[in-house]
């Protein structure tokens, strides 16, 4: 099983994308959206990570509950897939949701149903899986 992410072109502030959970037979079993920071050359805490293929594992913390740790990101550490709604909720991590909507009226798309989406991903994805991020 794998999580495939297809990015849209990045703005100066953020990157929006769609994701698909793909079973080994190639069928998509869950779709949603992701929010990341914009592309600032993979700089720590201010940039999205580079496109590519990564191994992810399940993780728990008091702050995010059950979430995922993206391993072996070049030049970075503790890149997570976690809940949140706004680009200000991430310092280089990936935030999941069901749809894009400007929740706080700041003119930027946010993600909806983020905690629900994290629960569904934790139910579906195995303890270790591949994350594939495709170019915009």
């Amino acid at each position: 099983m794998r999580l495939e992410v297809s990015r849209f072109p990045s703005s100066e502030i953020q990157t929006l994308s769609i994701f698909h959970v793909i079973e080994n037979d190639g069928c998509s079993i869950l779709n949603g959206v992701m929010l990341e920071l914009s592309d600032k050359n993979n700089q720590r805490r201010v940039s999205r990570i580079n496109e590519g293929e990564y191994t992810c594992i399940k993780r728990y913390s008091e702050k995010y509950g059950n979430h995922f740790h993206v391993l072996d990101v070049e030049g970075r550490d503790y890149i997570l897939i976690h809940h949140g709604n706004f680009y200000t909720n991430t310092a280089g991590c990936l935030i999941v949701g069901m749809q894009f909507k400007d929740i706080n009226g700041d003119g930027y798309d946010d993600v909806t149903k983020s905690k629900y989406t994290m629960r569904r991903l934790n139910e579906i994805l195995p303890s270790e899986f591949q994350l594939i991020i495709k170019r915009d």
Side-chain angles (χ1 to χ4, degrees):
M1 191 170 291
R2 65 191 185 275
L3 180 62
E4 291 187 1
V5 177
S6 298
R7 289 177 170 157
F8 304 138
S10 177
S11 75
E12 289 184 27
I13 300 293
Q14 63 188 21
T15 301
L16 305 177
S17 55
I18 57 172
F19 74 77
H20 304 280
V21 176
I22 308 293
E23 289 190 304
N24 293 335
D25 64 4
C27 292
S28 175
I29 58 171
L30 180 68
N31 305 315
V33 299
M34 280 192 177
L35 173 63
E36 301 173 82
L37 293 175
S38 62
D39 182 11
K40 294 195 169 120
N41 297 316
N42 198 37
Q43 294 178 61
R44 288 176 180 261
R45 305 191 59 79
V46 297
S47 178
R48 69 185 192 191
I49 63 174
N50 293 328
E51 67 276 345
E53 189 167 331
Y54 303 93
T55 298
C56 295
I57 58 171
K58 288 187 175 184
R59 183 175 186 272
Y60 177 85
S61 74
E62 289 295 321
K63 183 174 183 177
Y64 297 118
N66 293 314
H67 60 280
F68 306 102
H69 185 181
V70 183
L71 303 176
D72 301 321
V73 178
E74 185 177 344
R76 307 283 289 277
D77 56 5
Y78 285 101
I79 299 299
L80 308 175
I81 300 172
H82 63 77
H83 65 80
N85 297 105
F86 315 108
Y87 73 87
T88 55
N89 295 140
T90 180
C93 297
L94 300 91
I95 296 175
V96 296
M98 283 283 103
Q99 295 178 314
F100 295 120
K101 181 178 182 179
D102 184 3
I103 298 170
N104 60 0
D106 66 356
Y108 295 102
D109 281 328
D110 309 308
V111 297
T112 64
K113 298 184 178 180
S114 188
K115 287 184 179 180
Y116 165 81
T117 306
M118 278 306 306
R119 278 194 305 275
R120 292 288 295 132
L121 287 170
N122 271 287
E123 291 168 1
I124 293 169
L125 289 167
S127 59
E128 184 176 308
F129 61 92
Q130 292 305 116
L131 168 67
I132 301 167
I133 301 176
K134 300 176 183 178
R135 294 178 184 243
D136 0 5

